[in-house]
Amino acid sequence: MPTDTIGALIDAYMAAWPGLRRKLAPSTQDQYRRYLEVVRGIWGNLPAEDLRPADVEALMEKIGAEKPGRANNILFALRAMTGWARGPRGLLASDPTHGVGVFQSDDGHKPWTDDQLAFAENNLTGMLRRAFFLSRYTGQRISDVVRLGWTDVDGDTLTLRQKKTGVQPVCPIFPELAREMATWERRPGPFLLQETGRNVGKPVTTNQHWKVFEAARKEHAELRPCVWHGLRANAVIRLRQGGMTALQISTTIGLSVEMVERYSRYQDRKAAAKAVLREFRERKL
């Protein structure tokens, strides 16, 4: 397979995935494929050896000015491909991502606001509604949510080994989620099934979910600022409000303690502000 252009190199990298010594999870493949197609659209016909760090840096600055997370994901996918292409394979002599840094985020993905949560609860339907409730109240990645089904229910908890980390959290089924699940039919397979197209009734993939959510964001202005991953932050905040420690939340959701603390900052800052305001008012009295 020729690899002289960026587009050809992308094709060769994707074709090599089944034989990689370090396997890529299907969710990672979906993500890399999505962002490498962005690279293909920009540089697909460019000779692979002509791509330079300055080009990648310029792209990062352009996209990152408005969407730093998207810029980072493009860089991660490109870096994975060029890492594969260099070394013993000898498909690239230099690393076009060398020295290119990611955009830093101090707080992780932002939680959805109360208004956004209420809008979603009142307007989302079908598969996307199910995904919303599962993500909001379990805090799991969408790559795991699409795999959840009745066989993962044990009393008032949900348990599923995470694809990305191998961690197996035990998620409580909160009353809000329990009420929603009570309306779902009991059947084998995952909760989320495709609702349109030739594969109606078949399981939803992570990539298909993103397409459905993106369509909902375009249709509803209220959801355009929302990032699906922000629902993990909402799940963390809920547990934090319930008095759970970072370690307890880490065990319940399957996040690192450090990430739990990052997500919790939204709640902790708000709580601190309310405490200051309450103390100020009491002094005024």
Side-chain angles (χ1 to χ4, degrees):
M1 178 180 291
T3 56
D4 55 327
T5 66
I6 294 294
L9 191 63
I10 291 172
D11 290 335
Y13 177 50
M14 292 181 181
W17 286 349
L20 294 180
R21 295 173 189 171
R22 184 175 180 180
K23 301 299 182 184
L24 296 178
S27 58
T28 302
Q29 292 183 27
D30 286 342
Q31 178 162 316
Y32 283 178
R33 185 179 293 108
R34 183 162 64 251
Y35 292 111
L36 286 175
E37 288 303 323
V38 176
V39 174
R40 187 198 303 274
I42 299 171
W43 295 316
N45 295 323
L46 180 74
E49 289 291 358
D50 287 355
L51 188 62
R52 295 289 181 264
D55 302 318
V56 179
E57 179 69 20
L59 179 65
M60 288 287 289
E61 290 178 351
K62 180 179 179 180
I63 297 178
E66 294 186 359
K67 298 180 178 180
R70 180 177 177 82
N72 287 344
N73 286 330
I74 292 172
L75 180 62
F76 296 150
L78 185 58
R79 185 169 285 162
M81 181 184 72
T82 55
W84 166 83
R86 296 178 68 238
R89 292 179 180 83
L91 301 179
L92 280 179
S94 61
D95 179 7
T97 68
H98 179 71
V100 181
V102 298
F103 288 91
Q104 297 297 321
S105 173
D106 294 332
D107 302 312
H109 296 284
K110 291 184 178 181
W112 292 25
T113 66
D114 290 343
D115 287 343
Q116 290 164 347
L117 292 170
F119 180 87
E121 186 169 336
N122 292 329
N123 292 275
L124 296 184
T125 60
M127 181 277 290
L128 195 58
R129 179 180 179 85
R130 290 190 179 193
F132 167 74
F133 272 87
L134 288 167
S135 296
R136 178 181 179 183
Y137 291 107
T138 69
Q140 299 307 297
R141 298 176 183 87
I142 193 61
S143 58
D144 294 316
V145 167
V146 298
R147 298 164 55 226
L148 286 170
W150 286 111
T151 55
D152 303 306
V153 176
D154 183 11
D156 56 0
T157 63
L158 273 165
T159 304
L160 183 69
R161 189 173 300 280
Q162 295 178 347
K163 291 177 66 175
K164 183 175 181 179
T165 65
V167 172
Q168 190 168 355
V170 178
C171 307
I173 301 176
F174 289 105
E176 297 90 340
L177 178 56
R179 286 194 295 271
E180 195 71 16
M181 291 174 63
T183 67
W184 303 349
E185 69 276 18
R186 290 184 175 270
R187 51 165 173 71
F191 293 128
L192 308 185
L193 299 179
Q194 298 182 50
E195 299 174 309
T196 60
R198 61 185 178 182
N199 293 321
V200 169
K202 292 186 177 181
V204 173
T205 66
T206 302
N207 197 40
Q208 288 164 340
H209 167 271
W210 290 130
K211 291 180 180 178
V212 174
F213 179 52
E214 198 57 32
R217 292 177 68 215
K218 290 180 180 178
E219 181 180 356
H220 302 295
E222 294 84 352
L223 297 180
R224 284 174 196 156
C226 297
V227 177
W228 194 268
H229 216 64
L231 292 172
R232 299 198 87 191
N234 289 108
V236 168
I237 289 171
R238 178 186 178 87
L239 296 176
R240 190 75 160 191
Q241 290 173 331
M244 293 183 68
T245 66
L247 182 58
Q248 289 173 319
I249 298 172
S250 172
T251 302
T252 300
I253 294 183
L255 280 165
S256 68
V257 172
E258 292 77 14
M259 187 59 69
V260 168
E261 290 176 343
R262 286 175 66 185
Y263 283 140
S264 296
R265 290 179 188 174
Y266 292 101
Q267 170 61 24
D268 294 345
R269 288 170 181 168
K270 183 179 290 186
K274 288 183 177 179
V276 169
L277 184 59
R278 183 170 57 251
E279 182 177 347
F280 176 78
R281 288 172 175 169
E282 289 174 352
R283 288 181 179 179
K284 295 287 287 185
L285 293 176

